[in-house]
Structure formats: C-alpha cells, structure tokens
Amino acid sequence: MSPRHFVDALRARRTLAAGLFALGLLGAALVTVAMPERFVASARVLVEVSPGELAPGATLAAHLATQVDIVTSQRVALRVVDALGLAEDPAAIRRWRLETDAAGSLRHLLSDVLRRDLRVEPAGGSSVIRIDYAADDAAAAARIANAFAQAYVELGEQAARAADARRPAEPDAAALRARVAAALQRVAAALSESDASPERAGTLRTLREELRQLQLQLEQAERAFDPAASSRSDGRPRGAASGPRVSVLSPATEPVRPVRPDPVLNAVVGAALGSLAALFGVALAERRDRRIRGARDLADASGRPPIGSLRDAFGRDRPASASRHGLGGMASPAVPPSAPARVAGGVEADGPATRPVPTRDTAASPEPIGQILVKAGLIHPPEVERILAWARREGMRFGEAAVASRLVTSDQVERALAAQFDYPMLVRGASPVSEEVVAAYDARNPMVADLRRLRARIRAAQAAAPPATPLRCVAVVSAGPGEGKSFLAANLAVSFAQGGQRTLLIDADLRAGRLHRMFGLPNATGLSAMLNRSIQPGAMQRVPGLGTLTVLTRGPDAPNPTELLSREALGQLLEAFARSFDLVILDTAGGGDEPDASLVARCAGAALVLARKDRSSFDGLAELVQGGGAVPAVPVIGTVLNEA
C-alpha cells in the first residue's frame, strides 16, 4: 500500500480512525479515574566525605553509590520498622498471621514491603542523596521518607563511634618530652656548679640516670606513636570502616499533589495509543476490504485508465448562477449555449466559456435574445432599446447589460439563450423529472462538463469502431450497488440527447431499477414485459422537454430477473434498438453474486465501468472486469471514477 493510498484510506475511513482515537482517549480517562492516588515525599541527606576517607582508587560517585546501597539495605529498613513501630501494629500482625500463617519474621516482611516503594539516588553531581518514598497517603510518604533518612544518619553515627572505639590509645609523648627537658635543665644546672664534692657528684649521677630513663621512655613512646600516626588520615585509622559524616539536609514534607494519576501524561499516552490504533486499524481494514481510492486504483483494478470522472454535482463548487427559477411563460428553460449568440445591434449575448453545442442548423440567424425575453413577458420593447444602448456604451454584452439593469436575472438570460439555440432543458418545479438528473436542469454544473468530456470520448470510440460491429449499445456497470450507475446513465443519456443524438435509455436493473422514478414515468410496462414476450403499448416513453431522449423502464417486478436477461430476446431487442437509435444506454444491477450486469454488458457488446471513490471494492471491480466463476468478463470500453 503506497503512502498516497494509505492517506486516502485514512481520509475515507476517518470515522473508524476517529473512533479508535477516541477509544484511546477514553481509556486514558478511565485509567485516570480508576487509578488510586500516589504521593511521593523526598528527603535529602548530605554526605560529607574528604578525599582521604575514600578507599584507594575509589571515586566520589562510587562512594555515593555505596551509600545508596546502604540506605536501601534491609538493615536500614529494619531500623525504620522499629522506629515507626510497624511490627507492633495489631492490623499488620493480623494480616501477617492470616496471609503467612505466622511464618517467618514480621519485621523482615515489613522491611521488604517498605523497600518496594523506596527510591534512593544521588542528587545530580553533588554529595547529596535524595530519598523518595511513594505511598497512598501524603503524610505516610513524608513520615517514612524521614524515617529512612534518620535511620541512615544514625547508622553512620554508630559506625563512626565503633571506629573510634577500635582506635589504639596514643602515648602522651608531649608530657614525656616536657619531663626530659626539665631533667636536662637540672643536669645543666648541676654541671654549672663548681662544687666537686662527693655529694654533688652523686647528685649528678642520679640526674643523669633519670635523664637516661626519661629518654628511653620517650623513645619507646615515639616508637608506639609513629605507627599509629602513620596509619591515620584525617583522624581515621586505616582499615577501619569509613564512616562519612552524614546529616539531614532537608526533611521530607507532605506532598500537596499526587504524582499519580497524571491526567496530562495519561492523555498524551492515550492519544499516542489511540493514534497507533487508528493507523493500524485503518491499515487492517483496508487490507481486508480494499477500496478504490483514486484513478490509479481504478486503472489497477480494471486494467484500463479512466476515460472520465464525475465531480460532486451538489457540492459547494456549484455556481451561484445555476438554474433555479423558471423562465416565465417559456416552454424550455435554459442554460448557456456553446457559443456566444449575436443579437440585434451586433451585441454578443452572455455565456460561459464551455457551452452546449446547438442542436439545429444555426446558419440562419437565430432569434435575438431580446425578442425572446419580450415574448416571455420579462421586458418590454422600449427596454430592449435602452439595454442595447447601455451595452454599446459600456462595451458589454446584451445579457450582461440586461442583468445589470436589474430588469431580468442571470438565470432568465441563460434560459433565453437555451431557447435561442433550441437546447433542450427543463424548468425546476415545472417537470416531474427529478433534480438528480442534473444535466436536464443545470448546464453550468461542473459535473455536466465532465459528462460532455465523457460523451466526446464515447463518440470517438463510436467513430473508431469498425463498420461491421458498430458501437451503438453501452451498458453502465459497477461492482456494487449505490455507486452511481443510475445517476451516470440518466445524466449521460440526457447529455447525448442534448447533443442531438437519438438516445434510448433502458433500465436493465430488473431488481431495483429506479429510472422511472428519476424521470417521473409510469412503470406499468417496460423491459421485463418485453423480455417476457408480452409487449404492451407505451413501453417506449419520450421525456417531455428533453428532445430526442426515450426511456424504457424496467417494467413490472419479475421473479426471475437473471433468467430473463439470459434469454435471446434481450439481444434481439438491442439489435432492433441499435437500428433506430444513435446510442442505447443500459442501466444495470450492481455487480456481485448475481451475474445480471455481466449478462447485460456482454449482450450490449460494450460496458462503461463505474467506480465510486472510497466505496467501490477493488477486488469486486477486478472480478467484474476480468470475470470469475459463474460471472463472465465484461467488454470494457472505458472506466469512469465517481468522485461524488
């Protein structure tokens, strides 16, 4: 499936796509309503650590990751359980006994439950750890988050105290040095005295011995102090558990708004899922039931490029000047002819660029448009002269000047032009023909221009047909009902009649034909009666006001339409009609399980295949054209895309 085809399918199946998209939004709304509220409280803990406290080769990020693991450990969670007294809650105890039959430890079970909703992570690149806790109650979330932060701080303090208790006692080296210095002073004082008595000599020996002992104790103290001092960094013994200094930077407060449900997020997710569902749903539906989306699909299904298309005859692009009113007292209303008409005084009449071809010999001068308007009682002869003078002075056409004078309307001028060139048209409200037969009422409609182009191509095909097998009968077929066969057949027949061809329109849809209603004709007799060899007078009916157009309705309901269309009588009738008419157009039943359309097309010898955009089945149309099973292939002279 090409992107262009998928876009067309998405546009055509917009109801399905919109439904799936709305289903996604509805699901998001239901989830938002049904989802319980969830609150998250956050506490922040500052971890003060110096480079000397880090293990060799470790980084601050790795150290913080270790602290995160400590916060989320079961040891901290057990402290929280004890601090909050959760294990003493009678409701928790009853639930524990009911669900586990008192197996295991309630404290450990509660600690595992607490850790499920705990989220701890470093806050950016700083030394701050964020402790988030989610709960159904805002107060409970804040209380538990603060309990985890406090338990972690207390655990760090306990580790620091234990490390301090394991440190060796440091010798009092300073006191020993002071005593050695005092002893040296006394020795120096003794040596400075000139008394050489035996008593002074004994005192000197005693002081020297004391000094030697003190120096020995000092050396021993220094030997004990140096290993301890060399093993310390910032007051921490190496090998001892690193106990960083932690403190609560900002305690958790009760959150005001829940983090879940998030209506905006749910709506975005619902819209995304709905969009995906719409895309996949349309793709699946198109794969299961492919439709004709454009001229390329029609060409692929039929094997022939379209020779024409039909725009919407009742859309917004319909000209505001389309025929709405009758031309008072005139037998035929009107549309502009195919060429500007000359009126009295040589002034050209109005008309669009594309106009119907006159149906009579225009070598003789046509009746002036002003005289036609006078005969219709719309203006008086003196007003014709004033309009002519105004037209010459302003360089306008007679019709433009007449409309500008507000004596007549543009519709009345157009009807006068049609009467001037004997172009068969009908008056709205004055004819039983349905307004669905647009070509009979409004020649400015864009769809009528499409019909003229299609008529020209069919005429070219008639001219190119060999004399032995002239192209006189054309069946309008389609893959299914409701695709516009009757609309195309009726309007195309009117277009040929307006072009001067003797045209016969046959309703060969013996199941649900409606041409008699479209043209306001009786249906007491018709094709079914002829095929049943019970021809009655009045079966061939002329449509008043539409020139050479003759209609053969479907006739009375028949219980065996397929059998009637299979008889040789249909071929014999068409041969007789081809000798009396320039063109025979047959409306048919919708293709499908019944072979009626194929039977009529093969009997006619030529088929104009119609496909309605976004409605006709691709596979059904291909089967209709190529044949399959009990349905024979149809002889296609061209395809038409109905874009309405």
Side-chain angles (χ1 to χ4, degrees):
M1 185 185 303
S2 64
R4 174 70 178 273
H5 183 90
F6 181 77
V7 171
D8 292 339
L10 188 63
R11 177 189 54 79
R13 299 182 185 271
R14 55 186 175 272
T15 301
L16 173 63
L20 293 174
F21 182 78
L23 189 62
L25 294 180
L26 179 61
L30 293 177
V31 169
T32 301
V33 173
M35 183 181 294
E37 290 186 339
R38 198 72 168 165
F39 296 88
V40 174
S42 300
R44 295 178 181 269
V45 177
L46 176 62
V47 180
E48 300 180 82
V49 58
S50 61
E53 293 177 327
L54 298 177
T59 62
L60 178 61
H63 182 76
L64 291 179
T66 303
Q67 302 306 309
V68 168
D69 292 338
I70 294 174
V71 178
T72 58
S73 66
Q74 191 178 55
R75 184 176 180 183
V76 175
L78 288 174
R79 284 177 169 269
V80 174
V81 171
D82 296 338
L84 299 179
L86 301 180
E88 287 77 23
D89 185 8
I93 295 175
R94 286 195 302 269
R95 185 174 179 181
W96 168 59
R97 291 176 178 174
L98 180 64
E99 295 180 356
T100 65
D101 198 17
S105 170
L106 177 58
R107 292 178 65 249
H108 288 77
L109 177 63
L110 292 175
S111 67
D112 293 338
V113 171
L114 290 177
R115 292 162 63 193
R116 293 174 190 169
D117 298 320
L118 178 66
R119 182 180 179 183
V120 183
E121 60 183 7
S126 63
S127 298
V128 177
I129 295 178
R130 191 180 68 193
I131 301 175
D132 296 339
Y133 194 82
D136 296 338
D137 181 74
R143 184 170 63 254
I144 297 175
N146 288 328
F148 268 98
Q150 189 61 34
Y152 169 60
V153 170
E154 292 176 354
L155 184 63
E157 293 176 350
Q158 181 181 359
R161 288 194 296 270
D164 291 339
R166 291 192 299 268
R167 293 176 191 149
E170 298 179 1
D172 192 359
L176 290 175
R177 289 191 183 93
R179 293 175 60 186
V180 169
L184 288 174
Q185 291 179 357
R186 290 198 299 272
V187 171
L191 290 175
S192 62
E193 294 180 0
S194 58
D195 187 3
S197 62
E199 292 80 2
R200 295 297 297 172
T203 301
L204 184 59
R205 285 194 298 273
T206 301
L207 291 174
R208 286 178 176 175
E209 181 64 24
E210 180 182 359
L211 178 61
R212 189 180 66 80
Q213 293 294 332
L214 289 174
Q215 288 177 341
L216 181 62
Q217 291 179 12
L218 178 60
E219 291 175 1
Q220 292 176 351
E222 288 178 347
R223 282 196 300 270
F225 175 77
D226 289 341
S230 62
S231 66
R232 287 178 53 80
S233 176
D234 289 341
R236 301 287 185 183
R238 182 178 298 172
S242 178
R245 295 167 298 282
V246 296
S247 59
V248 177
L249 185 62
S250 60
T253 58
E254 292 186 18
V256 178
R257 296 180 179 177
V259 296
R260 194 183 68 186
D262 187 346
V264 176
L265 178 61
N266 291 348
V268 172
V269 173
L273 295 178
S275 300
L276 291 177
L279 296 177
F280 282 108
V282 169
L284 180 61
E286 191 69 11
R287 184 180 182 86
R288 293 171 61 91
D289 182 17
R290 184 177 177 182
R291 303 294 180 89
I292 300 296
R293 303 299 181 192
R296 179 174 296 180
D297 287 343
L298 179 55
D300 292 342
S302 63
R304 294 170 176 82
I307 64 172
S309 62
L310 295 180
R311 285 170 284 182
D312 186 3
F314 307 101
R316 294 181 180 178
D317 55 349
R318 180 172 180 173
S321 60
S323 302
R324 295 187 182 91
H325 311 290
L327 181 60
M330 296 187 62
S332 63
V335 278
S338 60
R342 294 274 178 183
V343 297
V347 181
E348 291 185 348
D350 291 314
T354 303
R355 293 175 176 172
V357 177
T359 59
R360 70 179 183 184
D361 184 10
T362 58
S365 176
E367 185 178 17
I369 187 174
Q371 189 174 350
I372 296 175
L373 294 173
V374 170
K375 288 182 179 181
L378 298 176
I379 59 177
H380 301 290
E383 294 174 332
V384 173
E385 297 301 329
R386 289 200 299 269
I387 294 174
L388 280 173
W390 190 6
R392 295 190 187 98
R393 184 173 62 255
E394 299 295 335
M396 301 169 62
R397 294 179 178 181
F398 181 87
E400 293 175 346
V403 173
S405 67
R406 299 185 180 181
L407 296 174
V408 293
T409 66
S410 60
D411 291 334
Q412 291 168 337
V413 171
E414 290 172 2
R415 288 171 178 80
L417 287 170
Q420 185 183 43
F421 278 85
D422 194 21
Y423 190 79
M425 297 294 295
L426 299 178
V427 179
R428 296 184 189 273
S431 172
V433 178
S434 170
E435 292 191 9
E436 188 177 357
V437 188
V438 181
Y441 292 101
D442 185 3
R444 284 195 174 186
N445 194 292
M447 187 274 299
V448 177
D450 297 336
L451 287 174
R452 295 192 188 109
R453 284 190 287 270
L454 181 59
R455 182 181 65 186
R457 289 185 173 91
I458 295 177
R459 283 178 175 176
Q462 286 181 311
T469 56
L471 178 60
R472 292 293 181 86
C473 299
V474 177
V476 180
V477 301
S478 69
E483 298 181 1
K485 292 183 304 298
S486 299
F487 178 84
L488 174 60
N491 283 278
L492 186 61
V494 170
S495 180
F496 270 96
Q498 290 171 333
Q501 282 75 37
R502 295 170 300 168
T503 308
L504 173 61
L505 175 62
I506 301 177
D507 193 344
D509 183 1
L510 302 184
R511 300 178 185 274
R514 62 188 186 92
L515 290 182
H516 61 284
R517 290 194 296 270
M518 294 179 66
F519 287 92
L521 300 174
N523 192 40
T525 183
L527 180 62
S528 62
M530 285 186 171
L531 295 177
N532 202 31
R533 301 186 185 279
S534 59
I535 300 177
Q536 300 178 7
M540 310 286 287
Q541 305 179 68
R542 296 290 293 271
V543 181
L546 288 181
T548 59
L549 177 62
T550 302
V551 177
L552 176 60
T553 63
R554 65 181 174 89
D557 293 340
N560 56 341
T562 302
E563 287 74 13
L564 287 178
L565 295 174
S566 301
R567 295 177 179 177
E568 295 181 357
L570 178 60
Q572 296 171 357
L573 285 174
L574 293 182
E575 289 180 2
F577 293 152
R579 289 191 295 268
S580 303
F581 293 91
D582 297 323
L583 182 66
V584 179
I585 299 176
L586 297 98
D587 184 20
T588 63
D593 297 333
E594 302 295 341
D596 295 11
S598 299
L599 292 173
V600 174
R602 290 178 64 84
C603 192
L608 189 63
V609 178
L610 177 68
R612 188 171 184 179
K613 185 178 180 181
D614 298 331
R615 179 161 182 169
S616 297
S617 170
F618 185 94
D619 297 333
L621 186 66
E623 183 178 355
L624 174 67
V625 173
Q626 302 169 9
V631 180
V634 298
V636 181
I637 63 168
T639 59
V640 179
L641 180 64
N642 183 4
E643 299 180 359

